[in-house]
Amino acid sequence: MKLLIIEDEQALRENITTYFNEDGNICESCANLSSAIDKLSNYNYDCVLLDIGLPDGEGFGVLSFLKKEMKDEAVLIISARNSLDDKIKGLNIGADDYLIKPFHLAELKARVASVYRRKAANSNNNLIFNEITINLLGRTVDVNNTPVILTRKEYDMLLYFIANKGKVIAKNAIAEHLWGDEMDMHNNFDFIYTHIKNLRKKLLDAGCHDYINSIYGIGYKFKA
């Protein structure tokens, strides 16, 4: 999963990030409302972990933003506030669950898995683009009913391209979406080219049209 952790307490934010990263998830984080809105404006996430007591405003603003923009991220509120009014308000305006601090990270993981499963079960599991069929729940890809075996990054990259078909996507945007904060460890974007080359070859070998175009000096475009 790709997670956004919105938490102003640095130690807790880092502990959650480390814990979920160990399972191969991609975690991005921020410490205030304005940064959260900025990230959610530009990127998509599977699940948002949301503290409602942020230094520059109420975290409920994130829920209002998601509803206004018709985004479908699962949201789990993590808060020290134990009042019934806060729980009801959060759930009524779009949160999927509410977990009181302090909590065990194992319970947080179980809650995240639960809300993510519910979101997936309530949506259409298949994403179809011409001859490509992606099963979102099983994370499988077929081209004209021929299975295509992709790595996790290749799968995420294909999903990202299709979600942004027809748009020119800068290399740094691809890196930010797929690698999150890990992209800071790379000196250049050559690793993106390698993943795209491998993804394109696997799709072409399965009989897929070549949808991935390189835009010189900028990035890539997936033809609509």
Side-chain angles (χ1 to χ4, degrees):
M1 288 182 289
K2 185 174 183 182
L3 307 175
L4 177 62
I5 302 160
I6 307 169
E7 168 61 59
D8 65 325
E9 185 182 335
Q10 182 178 352
L12 178 59
R13 186 173 68 247
E14 292 176 351
N15 285 341
I16 294 173
T17 299
T18 300
Y19 186 76
F20 278 92
N21 276 340
E22 288 173 352
D23 283 343
N25 299 290
I26 299 172
C27 295
E28 296 183 9
S29 64
C30 52
N32 55 58
L33 180 60
S34 61
S35 295
I37 297 299
D38 182 61
K39 282 185 173 290
L40 289 164
S41 297
N42 291 287
Y43 307 107
N44 298 318
Y45 301 88
D46 294 309
C47 188
V48 176
L49 307 184
L50 172 64
D51 182 12
I52 53 177
L54 298 173
D56 59 340
E58 289 283 288
F60 292 125
V62 168
L63 294 169
S64 299
F65 173 81
L66 292 174
K67 184 176 181 180
K68 176 185 175 184
E69 298 298 317
M70 294 184 291
K71 292 173 66 68
D72 62 355
E73 280 85 351
V75 179
L76 171 59
I77 292 177
I78 49 174
S79 176
R81 298 185 192 175
N82 197 18
S83 76
L84 182 60
D85 287 344
D86 281 327
K87 291 181 183 178
I88 291 174
K89 180 178 180 179
L91 294 171
N92 279 342
I93 62 176
D96 297 278
D97 201 354
Y98 195 112
L99 182 60
I100 303 296
K101 298 177 184 178
F103 48 77
H104 291 289
L105 290 175
E107 181 182 5
L108 176 64
K109 179 181 177 181
R111 296 282 193 102
V112 168
S114 178
V115 299
Y116 180 62
R117 281 197 303 269
R118 290 203 301 269
K119 283 282 188 181
N122 290 332
S123 64
N124 185 349
N125 290 332
N126 284 337
L127 174 65
I128 299 174
F129 175 80
N130 295 342
E131 69 271 34
I132 302 171
T133 300
I134 301 176
N135 184 285
L136 300 173
L137 197 58
R139 293 178 66 86
T140 59
V141 176
D142 290 346
V143 172
N144 290 326
N145 297 318
T146 299
V148 181
I149 307 302
L150 302 179
T151 66
R152 183 167 64 88
K153 291 298 186 188
E154 290 165 359
Y155 173 89
D156 291 340
M157 183 173 284
L158 176 61
L159 202 59
Y160 185 55
F161 274 134
I162 292 178
N164 292 277
K165 58 184 179 294
K167 301 177 183 177
V168 176
I169 310 173
K171 293 178 184 178
N172 64 329
I174 298 172
E176 172 74 22
H177 180 80
L178 295 176
W179 281 267
D181 297 334
E182 295 177 27
M183 64 178 285
D184 295 335
M185 297 184 296
H186 299 278
N187 295 324
N188 55 53
F189 295 119
D190 289 346
F191 63 101
I192 294 177
Y193 170 76
T194 300
H195 283 282
I196 290 177
K197 182 177 72 171
N198 293 337
L199 171 61
R200 176 188 277 134
K201 183 178 187 305
K202 289 180 179 181
L203 292 174
L204 291 176
D205 287 348
C208 186
H209 288 87
D210 190 5
Y211 294 109
I212 303 174
N213 287 353
S214 176
I215 308 299
Y216 182 76
I218 301 176
Y220 296 89
K221 180 179 180 181
F222 196 89
K223 290 185 293 186

